[in-house]
Amino acid sequence: MFRTPLREALCTQKEGQPVREGDYRGATTAAGFADPQMEFSALLNGCGVYDLGFRARLSLTGGDRVRWMNGMVTNNIRDLAASCGVYAFLLNPQGRILGDMNVYNQGDALLVESDRSQLEKIVATFDHYIIMDDVEVKDISEQQTTVGLAGPKSRAILNAAGIEVPELQPLQTVTPQCHCDCGCVECTVVREEDAERESFEIWLAPKDVHKTWQTLLAAGATPVGSEALEMQRIVAGIPLYGVDIRERDLPQETGQMRALNFNKGCYVGQEIVERIRSR
């Protein structure tokens, strides 16, 4: 299984961490650095920093990309502002869920982010529906990786690490001014989707991930593995595709209405979703 760039770097540096390794959402990453309850507490009360290298990315370019993507997923891509993202489902014609993803408008491209465990199915579905459209799908997963921060002290830790970000809306991105030696001068910072608490993702080149990780730890963040991350996901009530959301499920059955837009027009599976809503 794919080993995340951060996990690879930690092994190469022979730092003796993480204590446990495990497979999570399509990749091998750190399962834990210490007691999972202590790491979970850092996510709730301090600032936990964690590996999100299990996320995969597709870049969509071409003149038809917005129109085409708007007809593929359940949320509104047509009116998505630059540097902003939405959560969406990919459906089959019967309205069953083939996958979930965040879609970001990067100006000259759309960025699709999902778990590596879903990548093969998503790419195959996209390829099936690109016929005469001016759309090119490119897997850029090897060009970027991600580190996440969560907890009430997350912004303070970013500032202490020299990464200054403005106030952001959920799933809004920014290229910050970095005043540090973390090697992430060309990083992108994203506020995660939870509107009630600030948590962030840092997108950056794999070669820079270890230096950035070390800088965040030095600023006071607690290293967190996938075991505590999974505990946080469950407590927050965020369903995981492949575990809580399955291919036989219909969108409304998941309770994730944030993924649906009823004013955007037609998309694959839309008739079934609208029929459920109207009845």
Side-chain angles (χ1 to χ4, degrees):
M1 182 171 287
F2 171 83
R3 178 180 272 179
T4 70
L6 178 60
R7 177 67 184 105
E8 195 70 50
L10 290 173
C11 289
T12 302
Q13 295 295 323
K14 302 183 184 303
E15 297 177 6
Q17 289 183 318
V19 176
R20 298 180 303 282
E21 182 177 83
D23 295 338
Y24 187 59
R25 296 166 73 162
T28 300
T29 184
F33 295 85
D35 176 58
Q37 289 291 343
M38 293 176 59
E39 296 178 12
F40 178 56
S41 177
L43 293 171
L44 294 181
N45 304 310
C47 174
V49 58
Y50 42 87
D51 186 10
L52 290 174
F54 55 80
R55 300 292 278 173
R57 288 184 176 82
L58 301 173
S59 175
L60 275 61
T61 56
D64 295 333
R65 66 186 183 279
V66 174
R67 175 194 57 78
W68 180 84
M69 191 64 177
N70 199 58
M72 286 297 298
V73 298
T74 58
N75 218 328
N76 186 355
I77 308 302
R78 179 193 60 209
D79 300 323
L80 186 58
S83 301
C84 293
V86 291
Y87 175 69
F89 290 135
L90 179 68
L91 308 180
N92 67 15
Q94 292 73 44
R96 307 293 178 178
I97 302 172
L98 297 177
D100 67 347
M101 64 195 70
N102 292 330
V103 183
Y104 297 90
N105 180 0
Q106 295 190 307
D108 58 354
L110 294 175
L111 179 70
V112 175
E113 183 189 47
S114 189
D115 290 347
R116 286 182 177 270
S117 58
Q118 300 186 49
L119 182 61
E120 183 177 353
K121 185 192 296 185
I122 289 173
V123 170
T125 303
F126 283 2
D127 287 345
H128 176 75
Y129 282 99
I130 297 174
I131 303 173
M132 299 294 290
D133 308 281
D134 179 17
V135 180
E136 180 181 356
V137 179
K138 183 179 180 181
D139 184 356
I140 60 169
S141 303
E142 304 308 314
Q143 299 174 25
Q144 279 189 333
T145 191
T146 305
V147 171
L149 296 95
K153 298 181 181 178
S154 296
R155 180 176 287 274
I157 294 296
L158 281 176
N159 290 337
I163 305 173
E164 298 179 4
V165 296
E167 295 294 326
L168 299 172
Q169 297 299 313
L171 296 184
Q172 184 178 1
T173 72
V174 67
T175 301
Q177 294 294 323
C178 292
H179 307 286
C180 58
D181 297 322
C182 67
C184 61
V185 173
E186 297 186 9
C187 71
T188 297
V189 176
V190 186
R191 180 175 173 182
E192 293 187 340
E193 196 171 13
D194 191 338
E196 296 183 359
R197 64 183 182 91
E198 281 194 316
S199 54
F200 301 92
E201 297 180 5
I202 303 174
W203 301 349
L204 71 171
K207 66 181 180 63
D208 295 328
V209 67
H210 182 255
K211 290 180 286 186
T212 302
W213 176 265
Q214 291 294 91
T215 300
L216 293 168
L217 294 184
T222 299
V224 169
S226 61
E227 292 174 353
L229 203 60
E230 182 69 358
M231 292 167 62
Q232 181 200 40
R233 181 191 71 80
I234 293 170
V235 169
I238 301 172
L240 177 63
Y241 187 83
V243 177
D244 310 295
I245 300 174
R246 296 150 298 180
E247 187 169 329
R248 68 172 180 262
D249 292 334
L250 297 165
Q252 285 95 328
E253 292 179 314
T254 71
Q256 303 306 297
M257 302 305 292
R258 62 195 172 96
L260 305 178
N261 184 290
F262 294 101
N263 301 312
K264 56 170 284 183
C266 296
Y267 56 88
V268 178
Q270 183 259 350
E271 181 180 352
I272 306 301
V273 176
E274 176 60 29
R275 188 182 303 167
I276 294 171
R277 186 192 72 84
S278 63
R279 290 186 179 182

